[in-house]
Amino acid sequence: MKRLIFLGPPGAGKGTQAKILAEFLQIPHISTGDILRHAIQEKTDLGIQAQAYMDKGELVPDKLVEDMVEERLKKSDAKSGWILDGFPRKVTQAEFLAKLLENLGQGGEKVVNLDAPDETVVSRLLGRGRKDDTKEVIRRRLEVYRDDTAPLINYYSQREKLLTVNGNQSQEEVFTALQNIIAT
Ligand code: AMP
């Protein structure tokens, strides 16, 4: 049984690695960013509400993402494990998740902190070409990461859930490091 939360700055390779690892472990890859982008494409209420925040590099209000994650984790395929990518992004979301997992009887989660220096993440993001990957929005997303998300490193470290992987290496090397660390 594997329950993993991927943490790290935008551009650290979280999405790519989470996807590969989830396939390898045969568990769902749950990316809040992917779910939101899909909702925008489909023009659902959620998508319409989330779009303005995402376009600016701001976080979408907690309630929207929390409801989304709760609904997803209640699906039957999430019983055998999951990788959460992009959630939680704030201490309030982490507290929500802790309660939710307790209610669902889904404990024992570990947090993988995929770390990479600013130069690396900025050049990766600029090369990616997503709609919210313009210079100004990237700057804001990094700020939001530093202010709201980075405190989760401490939060999970204090709860002895944190595993750290150096994201500043090739995709293969990161994947090998991930496999080693989750086997421990
Ligand atoms: P990502 O694909 O994880 O980089 O997420 C893209 C955008 O979706 C972020 O910049 C936020 O606007 C929004 N988003 C994704 N996950 C969350 C979350 N847990 N809380 C708030 N906003 C989120």
Side-chain angles (χ1 to χ4, degrees), residues 2 6 26 31 66 68 111 120 140-141 162 170:
K2 289 284 175 202
F6 270 45
Q26 297 278 297
S31 155
E66 288 172 359
M68 218 168 82
V111 180
T120 307
R140 183 61 194 141
R141 280 177 31 229
L162 197 74
S170 75

CSV table of all heavy atoms in Angstrom, one decimal, residues 2 6 26 31 66 68 111 120 140-141 162 170:
chain,number,residue,atom,x,y,z
A,2,LYS,N,0.6,2.1,-1.0
A,2,LYS,CA,1.4,3.3,-1.0
A,2,LYS,C,0.5,4.5,-1.0
A,2,LYS,O,-0.4,4.7,-1.8
A,2,LYS,CB,2.3,3.3,-2.3
A,2,LYS,CG,3.4,2.3,-2.2
A,2,LYS,CD,4.6,2.8,-1.4
A,2,LYS,CE,5.7,1.7,-1.2
A,2,LYS,NZ,6.5,1.9,0.0
A,6,PHE,N,3.5,14.4,-3.1
A,6,PHE,CA,4.6,15.1,-3.7
A,6,PHE,C,4.6,16.5,-3.5
A,6,PHE,O,3.7,17.3,-3.8
A,6,PHE,CB,4.6,14.8,-5.2
A,6,PHE,CG,5.3,13.6,-5.6
A,6,PHE,CD1,5.1,12.4,-5.0
A,6,PHE,CD2,6.2,13.6,-6.7
A,6,PHE,CE1,5.8,11.2,-5.3
A,6,PHE,CE2,6.9,12.4,-7.1
A,6,PHE,CZ,6.7,11.2,-6.4
A,26,GLN,N,1.2,1.2,-10.0
A,26,GLN,CA,-0.2,0.8,-10.3
A,26,GLN,C,-1.2,1.5,-9.3
A,26,GLN,O,-2.1,0.8,-8.8
A,26,GLN,CB,-0.4,-0.7,-10.3
A,26,GLN,CG,0.5,-1.4,-11.3
A,26,GLN,CD,-0.2,-1.3,-12.7
A,26,GLN,OE1,-1.3,-1.9,-12.9
A,26,GLN,NE2,0.4,-0.7,-13.7
A,31,SER,N,-3.5,14.7,-9.6
A,31,SER,CA,-2.9,16.0,-9.7
A,31,SER,C,-4.0,17.1,-9.7
A,31,SER,O,-4.9,17.1,-10.5
A,31,SER,CB,-2.1,16.1,-11.0
A,31,SER,OG,-2.0,17.5,-11.4
A,66,GLU,N,-10.3,21.4,-1.8
A,66,GLU,CA,-10.5,20.4,-0.8
A,66,GLU,C,-11.7,19.5,-1.2
A,66,GLU,O,-11.6,18.3,-1.0
A,66,GLU,CB,-10.7,21.1,0.6
A,66,GLU,CG,-9.4,21.7,1.1
A,66,GLU,CD,-9.6,22.6,2.3
A,66,GLU,OE1,-10.8,22.8,2.8
A,66,GLU,OE2,-8.6,23.1,2.8
A,68,MET,N,-12.7,18.8,-4.1
A,68,MET,CA,-12.2,18.0,-5.2
A,68,MET,C,-11.4,16.8,-4.8
A,68,MET,O,-11.6,15.7,-5.3
A,68,MET,CB,-11.3,19.0,-6.0
A,68,MET,CG,-11.3,19.0,-7.4
A,68,MET,SD,-10.3,20.4,-7.9
A,68,MET,CE,-8.7,19.9,-7.8
A,111,VAL,N,5.6,11.9,2.6
A,111,VAL,CA,5.7,13.1,1.8
A,111,VAL,C,7.0,13.1,1.1
A,111,VAL,O,8.0,13.0,1.8
A,111,VAL,CB,5.5,14.3,2.6
A,111,VAL,CG1,5.6,15.6,1.8
A,111,VAL,CG2,4.1,14.3,3.4
A,120,THR,N,17.1,26.2,-11.8
A,120,THR,CA,16.7,25.0,-12.5
A,120,THR,C,15.2,25.1,-12.7
A,120,THR,O,14.7,24.9,-13.9
A,120,THR,CB,17.0,23.8,-11.6
A,120,THR,OG1,18.3,23.8,-11.3
A,120,THR,CG2,16.6,22.5,-12.4
A,140,ARG,N,5.3,34.9,-9.7
A,140,ARG,CA,4.3,34.8,-8.7
A,140,ARG,C,4.1,33.4,-8.1
A,140,ARG,O,3.9,33.2,-6.9
A,140,ARG,CB,2.9,35.3,-9.3
A,140,ARG,CG,1.8,35.4,-8.3
A,140,ARG,CD,2.1,36.4,-7.1
A,140,ARG,NE,1.1,36.2,-6.0
A,140,ARG,CZ,1.4,36.2,-4.7
A,140,ARG,NH1,2.7,36.5,-4.4
A,140,ARG,NH2,0.5,36.0,-3.8
A,141,ARG,N,4.2,32.4,-9.0
A,141,ARG,CA,4.0,31.0,-8.5
A,141,ARG,C,5.1,30.6,-7.5
A,141,ARG,O,4.9,29.9,-6.6
A,141,ARG,CB,3.8,30.1,-9.6
A,141,ARG,CG,2.4,30.1,-10.1
A,141,ARG,CD,2.0,29.3,-11.3
A,141,ARG,NE,2.7,28.1,-11.5
A,141,ARG,CZ,3.2,27.7,-12.7
A,141,ARG,NH1,3.2,28.5,-13.7
A,141,ARG,NH2,3.8,26.5,-12.8
A,162,LEU,N,8.5,13.2,6.3
A,162,LEU,CA,9.2,13.7,5.1
A,162,LEU,C,10.3,12.9,4.6
A,162,LEU,O,11.2,12.5,5.3
A,162,LEU,CB,9.7,15.1,5.5
A,162,LEU,CG,10.1,16.0,4.3
A,162,LEU,CD1,8.8,16.5,3.6
A,162,LEU,CD2,10.9,17.2,4.7
A,170,SER,N,19.1,14.2,-13.6
A,170,SER,CA,18.3,13.7,-14.8
A,170,SER,C,17.0,13.0,-14.3
A,170,SER,O,16.9,12.5,-13.2
A,170,SER,CB,19.1,12.8,-15.6
A,170,SER,OG,19.2,11.5,-15.0
